[in-house]
Amino acid sequence: MSDASKICKVAVAGLGTVGVGTVRLLQEQADLLEARCGRKLVVTAVSARDRTRDRGCNLDGITWFDDAVEMARSADADIFVELIGGSDGPAKASCEAALASGKHVVTANKALVAHHGHEMALVAEEAGLGLAYEAAVAGGIPVIKSIREGLAGNKIRTLHGILNGTCNYILTTMRETGRSFDDVLAEAQELGYAEADPTFDVDGIDAAHKLAILASLAFGAKLDFEGVYVEGIRHITPLDIEYANELGYKFKLLGIAEDCGNGIFQRVHPVMVPTDAPIASVEGVFNAVVTEGDFVGTTVMEGRGAGGGPTASAVVSDIVDIACGRITPTFGMPAKKLVEKSTLPMDSHSGAYYVRLSVVDRPGVMADITAAMRDHEVSLESVIQRGRDPGAPVTVVLTMHETSEAAIRGALEEIEKLDAVKEPPRLIRIERFQD
Ligand code: NDP
Ligand code: HSE
């Protein structure tokens, strides 16, 4: 029998994909959670916009609030769970109100954490309250806890990951079925993977929010979302997917963070990875995070990165920690000790590249292109030209050995000016990982 004074009361703001998943998990696994926490976890209050909508979960006896900020202030709750979304607006206001009124905060909101996590952590830590966000990165994979606690003995120099389930689902399905980008995106939205505004997914912003959070945790650095270089997947065409296949690569949208001592790289962009690289086998809505620690070496975590069940699993893990009194510094060390690390510019990145050109099929064109490469000290690895159509544009695909981004961009600037080049060159980075 639980002692009523020991009950841990939970208020949930937002009853969409994740909110409903969380309420259902707390209700359906109530006995298991009580055994694990040594106290009951009870949802006492909820908030969403439309009170009349059937949510598909049992809300009997739970106090309804139309206003999430009012619920954060006045609900009878120990923990306020924010599952509304958005970096500002009611999500931010309600979390601030909850902390101000002495409630722990759990959120799945990476936009909020990436933009305001540092200030919120300062407030929470000053007040001795938890601010937990396991669900904000990689859905159901316990990556925050793994880096913050499991890898606490290591200096992490680099990490990379598939951080957006929607993009991975789109790239996988486009490759497997040949269906269009728009068609597959609509399906990902129906499945509840995509953000309310899916441009955040396909333009790489959601993955950038997550990468900034991971970089802060891994490197003991102050969050620097503005320092993330971001490119999305809209420009990936079936033609590029076909060439990647022919060259032995798959497309992935990766987030990559690296602490180089003199600054950090934080970058999110599509990459071509060898089909036999471990990360290439992470398909569909699955996410994966790979870290390199100085004592542990490589660790790989993989699992479902989006959807109601997996994300609720991560939200509830934070609720359980707080209910058990396991309140840790938000970013692995007190927020006031996090240091500012400067961002290294993409021009200083070095790697291999794929370039696709549309050029007029006539003698001497390849000589002009390779001359520009030579002048910028870019070393060519392979060339593919398909078909023969004298005087008309044909596709030429080049891959480059390791070179600096400044050099390849300099060469492409010259190549684009050639009158035989009919479209802006398409540049895609290749990451081999096993090098
Ligand atoms: P949904 O759009 O499905 O749900 C959002 C909910 O917030 C809705 O129930 C909506 O109410 C409610 N809401 C909106 N405005 C207010 C307000 N002013 N006051 C109270 N409630 C409000 O979003 P998701 O469940 O998909 O996402 C929630 C959060 O979880 C986001 O931060 C998202 O980034 C994050 N996340 C989502 C994942 C996923 O797979 N979907 C995975 C990992 C994180 P109503 O229903 O009445 O319109
Ligand atoms: N829209 C996000 C994704 C949800 O597709 O990964 C999980 O954060």
Side-chain angles (χ1 to χ4, degrees), residues 173-407:
T173 310
M174 281 176 73
R175 193 191 67 247
E176 286 176 352
T177 66
R179 282 164 59 199
S180 75
F181 173 87
D182 290 336
D183 187 23
V184 185
L185 170 60
E187 187 175 274
Q189 286 177 283
E190 274 162 34
L191 290 166
Y193 303 152
E195 295 303 301
D197 177 357
T199 59
F200 273 52
D201 295 295
V202 298
D203 291 337
I205 299 157
D206 176 74
H209 288 144
K210 295 166 179 169
L211 186 74
I213 295 170
L214 290 181
S216 171
L217 258 182
F219 306 146
K222 262 192 202 165
L223 277 160
D224 180 16
F225 171 67
E226 304 302 329
V228 184
Y229 171 85
V230 193
E231 257 178 51
I233 63 163
R234 281 181 205 272
H235 62 286
I236 305 299
T237 62
L239 186 61
D240 292 314
I241 291 176
E242 214 177 286
Y243 276 111
N245 222 9
E246 183 175 336
L247 290 161
Y249 295 107
K250 281 185 188 172
F251 273 98
K252 295 288 166 195
L253 181 79
L254 289 191
I256 302 172
E258 203 177 345
D259 189 345
C260 300
N262 58 340
I264 59 174
F265 275 119
Q266 299 182 85
R267 50 194 174 97
V268 168
H269 50 75
V271 301
M272 286 167 43
V273 294
T275 43
D276 60 356
I279 200 106
S281 63
V282 179
E283 301 277 42
V285 74
F286 278 72
N287 282 192
V289 177
V290 181
T291 56
E292 300 289 342
D294 54 355
F295 274 68
V296 72
T298 306
T299 63
V300 184
M301 289 164 263
E302 183 183 341
R304 285 181 198 278
T311 312
S313 160
V315 170
V316 171
S317 79
D318 282 339
I319 296 173
V320 166
D321 270 350
I322 292 170
C324 293
R326 294 192 293 263
I327 293 167
T328 40
T330 312
F331 294 101
M333 62 174 75
K336 56 186 171 207
K337 297 248 159 122
L338 296 166
V339 294
E340 260 170 51
K341 297 208 176 189
S342 57
T343 299
L344 297 171
M346 273 309 278
D347 265 0
S348 60
H349 165 67
S350 187
Y353 293 86
Y354 158 104
V355 172
R356 178 168 55 78
L357 302 169
S358 175
V359 300
V360 177
D361 188 6
R362 68 169 185 239
V365 173
M366 283 310 292
D368 292 341
I369 291 170
T370 53
M373 299 284 186
R374 178 202 59 211
D375 293 347
H376 289 268
E377 297 185 18
V378 172
S379 165
L380 215 53
E381 183 190 50
S382 71
V383 181
I384 304 174
Q385 181 187 333
R386 277 226 196 89
R388 171 97 176 101
D389 199 357
V394 290
T395 299
V396 173
V397 163
L398 312 164
T399 62
M400 260 46 85
H401 290 296
E402 181 114 344
T403 186
S404 79
E405 182 118 352

Side-chain angles (χ1 to χ4, degrees), residues 355-358 412 415-416 421-427:
V355 172
R356 178 168 55 78
L357 302 169
S358 175
L412 290 184
I415 289 169
E416 191 170 355
V421 172
K422 293 300 169 202
E423 285 172 13
R426 168 78 60 234
L427 177 72

Side-chain angles (χ1 to χ4, degrees), residues 13-19 47-51 53 55 64-69 82-86 90 107-111 135-137 139 192-196 206 210 305-308 311:
L15 290 175
T17 305
V18 185
S47 174
R49 286 174 297 202
D50 181 357
R51 195 180 192 140
R53 183 132 59 90
R55 303 284 167 174
W64 177 280
F65 285 81
D66 289 322
D67 180 353
V69 179
E82 184 278 307
L83 302 171
I84 297 171
T107 179
N109 187 338
K110 48 270 164 144
V137 181
Y193 303 152
E195 295 303 301
D206 176 74
K210 295 166 179 169
T311 312

